[in-house]
Amino acid sequence: MDKKGLIVVLSGFSGAGKGTIMKHLLQAYPGEFHLSISATTRAPRQGEEDGREYFFRTREEFDTMIENHELLEYATFNGNSYGTPRSYVEQLVNEGKDVILEIEIQGALQVKKIYPEALLLFVMPPTADDLKDRLVGRGTETEDVIAQRLAISAKESQFMTGYDYLVVNDDLEQSVLNVHSIISSEHFKTARNVETINTIQNELKKFERR
Ligand code: 5GP
């Protein structure tokens, strides 16, 4: 099989459970995937640490990263900037490792433009009301922010067909299995195994009959 790693983009409405799926995926399959850590101008939430959930940066620092082309993609979400540091992703993919970017839709579509071979997954809850219940239940955001995030989700839903796969997050463990099998299957696509195909074609030449 060809050795290049995959760029996997995982998006979904705020509160759809993509963060939890990611956490469980990394735990269930240790060493199999690498998570890209984004830079953001958003303030840390309680319990979040710089360099673990995000690289928390000032607006000036973030702008400098943009100017220096250090970000693979970046976008504004609810008044804050978020971006994917380029070098980490490129290095891992070249080493044959799969990297997961947990990012919102504008960024995901930028990634697809730069890397058409990227694999885009979208996570949604079973219903819109489930989404609201989960955001309220999380208890990390004010009512205002929740209303803003739901309104953003309504807009984002227009772009879901730009993704390759849909994961309906009803049961967490099943969603983790689904994400894992989608990524695994992707490696077997003929389009991702051109080198392997060329090799066997060349090897088989010795059996050709004239
Ligand atoms: P939160 O503030 O809830 O951590 O994240 C808000 C949104 O920003 C989520 O949809 C999250 O996936 C997205 N996000 C996180 N990092 C990045 C990034 O590097 N680029 C983009 N485009 N979106 C990101």
Side-chain angles (χ1 to χ4, degrees):
M1 302 285 284
D2 286 7
K3 279 280 179 287
K4 207 154 190 246
L6 296 178
I7 295 182
V8 180
V9 172
L10 190 74
S11 299
F13 308 126
S14 180
K18 54 190 190 304
T20 316
I21 293 177
M22 276 302 311
K23 217 168 115 190
H24 284 246
L25 186 74
L26 295 174
Q27 274 168 6
Y29 304 96
E32 218 173 295
F33 308 110
H34 298 263
L35 181 60
S36 157
I37 301 172
S38 300
T40 183
T41 60
R42 163 165 88 57
R45 292 191 190 121
Q46 203 173 7
E48 286 183 335
E49 260 178 44
D50 186 43
R52 192 178 64 192
E53 281 80 13
Y54 284 105
F55 296 110
F56 294 101
R57 295 292 179 258
T58 62
R59 162 72 41 209
E60 292 71 34
E61 287 167 341
F62 196 92
D63 289 345
T64 305
M65 290 177 92
I66 296 174
E67 278 164 28
N68 294 342
H69 304 285
E70 289 170 36
L71 299 175
L72 188 70
E73 60 72 37
Y74 60 92
T76 305
F77 184 89
N78 212 15
N80 291 305
S81 293
Y82 297 81
T84 305
R86 179 195 302 280
S87 58
Y88 183 70
V89 173
E90 285 181 350
Q91 183 197 327
L92 288 172
V93 168
N94 288 333
E95 288 172 4
K97 294 173 179 150
D98 294 345
V99 192
I100 305 183
L101 278 53
E102 191 203 315
I103 63 177
E104 54 66 66
I105 290 178
Q106 307 159 66
L109 300 178
Q110 287 178 51
V111 172
K112 191 76 180 172
K113 256 195 201 156
I114 312 167
Y115 298 103
E117 72 278 16
L119 175 64
L120 269 58
L121 278 65
F122 196 92
V123 181
M124 60 168 265
T127 70
D129 283 338
D130 288 328
L131 191 65
K132 185 177 176 197
D133 292 346
R134 287 185 197 183
L135 281 174
V136 173
R138 196 154 83 176
T140 50
E141 258 81 33
T142 61
E143 221 172 279
D144 241 17
V145 172
I146 291 173
Q148 283 165 14
R149 290 193 172 212
L150 288 170
I152 293 171
S153 298
K155 275 202 192 120
E156 287 181 336
S157 67
Q158 305 302 314
F159 297 96
M160 288 167 69
T161 49
Y163 282 72
D164 300 307
Y165 290 91
L166 186 64
V167 177
V168 180
N169 186 20
D170 192 0
D171 175 80
L172 174 63
E173 291 316 314
Q174 187 58 50
S175 296
V176 171
L177 283 175
N178 290 345
V179 169
H180 184 260
S181 65
I182 291 167
I183 300 174
S184 304
S185 312
E186 196 65 20
H187 280 284
F188 295 100
K189 276 199 169 160
T190 49
R192 294 199 191 269
N193 287 285
V194 174
E195 277 173 39
T196 308
I197 291 170
N198 284 341
T199 305
I200 191 78
Q201 283 174 338
N202 283 327
E203 286 173 3
L204 283 167
K205 278 196 179 132
K206 64 184 173 196
F207 300 127
E208 262 173 7
R209 298 176 97 179
R210 288 160 212 285

